[in-house]
Amino acid sequence: GSGGVALLPTDVTIGTQLAIAYSKEGRLFLVNTDTMGKFNAGGDNQIAQEFMVGQYTCSDTVTADVAEGPGWNRLYGTPAYWNGNIYAGASSVPLQQYHFENGLLNPTPFATSATAYGLRGGNSVVSANGTQNGIVWSYEKSTSGQGILHAYDATNIATELWNSNMNSGRDGLGEGIGFGTPVVAEGRVIVPYDTSVGVFGLLQ
């Protein structure tokens, strides 16, 4: 395990109580919280759905017992949900947007971000006015070590609205924090870096 669990609304799961979680291997899991299925030595066929977010499976047998590598697609943190979409940021690949169809996720991404993330992937949250004006705020510790905050159109993350390096003199962050997650509150987005906290808001 490498993060928390997100409970999903039943309007997109056709009434089934589903939860979503990651593994450090790079795999996304949907489980039915009413019938968890218990341990099955023969496989994971009791799980509602599971698939790799990236291409490369990461485990001790494949990559040995070390933290990270540029060809790995590990997942850290907790998936973000909004309006029928899941946003997942594995290491060394772009942020992925998956859409619910007939109660499960389509494992083919609906959209991806324009740039790949660093060796710790990205953690995301969504701000929105209900089902309108959704923004995916995603924080990554880049390959260079710098923290970068991204803002994407939540309906299609191929559209990046802003990132903290677009005007680095004003908005740039220092050393990124692994597992760092944005917090959105009262019109501000708050992220950690170095030994500091960055607070972003509208320009006045």
Side-chain angles (χ1 to χ4, degrees):
S2 53
V5 176
L7 300 176
L8 299 171
T10 55
D11 59 334
V12 295
T13 63
I14 315 182
T16 305
Q17 300 283 349
L18 293 182
I20 188 167
Y22 289 157
S23 77
K24 195 176 289 186
E25 179 189 24
R27 199 171 296 276
L28 180 151
F29 295 89
L30 279 179
V31 295
N32 186 331
T33 62
D34 290 333
T35 57
M36 296 292 286
K38 301 184 179 180
F39 174 69
N40 180 0
D44 290 335
N45 57 5
Q46 79 278 28
I47 293 174
Q49 187 180 22
E50 56 90 10
F51 57 87
M52 289 292 297
V53 170
Q55 178 181 356
Y56 299 107
T57 301
C58 298
S59 67
D60 286 353
T61 57
V62 176
T63 58
D65 189 18
V66 289
E68 56 195 17
W72 308 355
N73 302 143
R74 285 185 164 177
L75 287 163
Y76 304 94
T78 302
Y81 171 85
W82 177 74
N83 204 30
N85 297 280
I86 290 291
Y87 308 93
S91 61
S92 306
V93 292
L95 184 69
Q96 311 286 309
Q97 177 182 354
Y98 298 99
H99 197 74
F100 274 92
E101 298 177 6
N102 301 316
L104 294 174
L105 287 171
N106 184 336
T108 300
F110 173 79
T112 62
S113 64
T115 57
Y117 279 26
L119 303 183
R120 292 285 171 170
N123 283 322
S124 303
V125 297
V126 180
S127 65
N129 181 12
T131 60
Q132 303 295 317
N133 305 319
I135 298 175
V136 180
W137 300 95
S138 190
Y139 177 83
E140 68 161 316
K141 181 180 180 180
S142 66
T143 303
S144 70
Q146 182 189 22
I148 303 174
L149 177 63
H150 301 265
Y152 303 99
D153 180 348
T155 63
N156 187 327
I157 61 170
T159 300
E160 185 170 19
L161 305 172
W162 170 88
N163 71 61
S164 56
N165 275 356
M166 286 180 172
N167 186 339
S168 59
R170 181 189 66 199
D171 301 330
L173 301 173
E175 183 75 12
I177 306 296
F179 297 91
T181 303
V183 173
V184 180
E186 299 186 11
R188 303 286 188 270
V189 184
I190 305 163
V191 291
Y193 69 97
D194 288 333
T195 56
S196 303
V197 173
V199 183
F200 294 91
L202 293 174
L203 293 175
Q204 299 299 321

